[in-house]
Amino acid sequence: KAGVTQTPRYLIKTRGQQVTLSCSPISGHRSVSWYQQTPGQGLQFLFEYFSETQRNKGNFPGRFSGRQFSNSRSEMNVSTLELGDSALYLCASSLGQKAEAFFGQGTRLTVV
Amino acid sequence: ILNVEQSPQSLHVQEGDSTNFTCSFPSSNFYALHWYRWETAKSPEALFVMTLNGDEKKKGRISATLNTKEGYSYLYIKGSQPEDSATYLCAFIVLTGGGNKLTFGTGTQLKVEL
């Protein structure tokens, strides 16, 4: 069974640009969540999608947005990139709230 | 604001030692607690999902307990091995009417030395 796939693995962008990250969940998982990890911080919740609807949102500015497609694949977009957006972005899929989350390898974003 | 605290922040033990870590979380509106192991250059991997007060779960040499009334969970590793070296994360879900929002602690970094 294929795991959670995130693309790209690494990305370098310039301040002010925008970026789109992609996540393909495990087949059958309809919940996809996104997390940000910066040095010294734990995993910070960005948002969760379930059946193409955003179900939960973390405390991030509106520059961070996402969507989910009918095949459960999800994308995350960050507009007007700032240096502080440099981080590891992890996507996780699961069957539900009481089920374990399966994480992708992450996308390492560097903003210069 | 929900806060999940883990202690200690880091731990160095010798091979064969047993060790334990603590995860503290708000006890109100508890729904579930997850434990994950995150090895360097890999993805976080689920160890346990715990939902009931008094839950005890075991996987090999690793076990966990849950006290939802006082808001803490312990993770135990018996006879630590070098391959146990990783960051151990706990994450908490509150009952908010739906959704899968995990609030993570900052983790306990374990280093097992030969």
Side-chain angles (χ1 to χ4, degrees):
Chain A
K1 182 166 155 177
V4 177
T5 304
Q6 289 187 246
T7 56
R9 291 289 310 278
Y10 302 92
L11 207 47
I12 300 175
K13 288 285 189 179
T14 305
R15 265 184 305 176
Q17 286 188 310
Q18 73 160 25
V19 67
T20 299
L21 312 182
S22 179
C23 173
S24 293
I26 290 173
S27 178
H29 287 191
R30 290 194 289 167
S31 170
V32 176
S33 300
W34 288 89
Y35 297 86
Q36 181 199 63
Q37 194 201 31
T38 50
Q41 296 284 322
L43 288 168
Q44 303 291 313
F45 174 79
L46 281 153
F47 27 67
E48 185 222 0
Y49 286 86
F50 185 89
S51 294
E52 302 179 65
T53 301
Q54 187 181 86
R55 244 185 353 184
N56 267 301
K57 190 175 187 331
N59 296 322
F60 279 82
R63 300 184 297 105
F64 291 81
S65 63
R67 59 178 175 166
Q68 187 180 35
F69 302 94
S70 57
N71 63 357
S72 292
R73 189 177 72 85
S74 177
E75 286 182 348
M76 189 191 102
N77 187 74
V78 188
S79 62
T80 320
L81 284 165
E82 300 177 359
L83 295 179
D85 297 332
S86 295
L88 177 68
Y89 290 88
L90 286 169
C91 157
S93 74
S94 76
L95 287 169
Q97 288 180 280
K98 290 188 178 181
E100 62 189 281
F102 291 82
F103 284 84
Q105 295 268 63
T107 295
R108 173 76 62 183
L109 172 66
T110 302
V111 182
V112 297
Chain B
I1 296 176
L2 297 171
N3 217 17
V4 180
E5 295 185 0
Q6 291 189 245
S7 63
Q9 198 171 8
S10 65
L11 201 50
H12 281 69
V13 302
Q14 298 295 311
E15 183 181 12
D17 287 349
S18 292
T19 187
N20 64 85
F21 327 131
T22 304
C23 172
S24 301
F25 53 87
S27 55
S28 58
N29 296 322
F30 174 84
Y31 193 70
L33 187 95
H34 294 212
W35 280 100
Y36 290 85
R37 174 170 59 201
W38 194 357
E39 295 178 68
T40 304
K42 294 188 177 179
S43 314
E45 177 191 347
L47 289 170
F48 306 112
V49 176
M50 308 176 81
T51 57
L52 298 175
N53 184 46
D55 247 357
E56 289 189 27
K57 298 225 171 176
K58 190 169 187 224
K59 186 185 282 191
R61 294 179 292 98
I62 304 177
S63 60
T65 61
L66 178 67
N67 183 324
T68 61
K69 294 189 188 306
E70 295 180 41
Y72 65 83
S73 176
Y74 294 138
L75 187 80
Y76 302 91
I77 301 179
K78 186 177 174 183
S80 302
Q81 299 297 309
E83 58 265 29
D84 295 329
S85 297
T87 297
Y88 291 82
L89 298 166
C90 70
F92 167 66
I93 299 180
V94 291
L95 190 64
T96 56
N100 201 11
K101 174 182 175 179
L102 289 168
T103 299
F104 280 88
T106 51
T108 293
Q109 193 170 23
L110 174 67
K111 175 78 174 169
V112 182
E113 292 162 348
L114 294 167

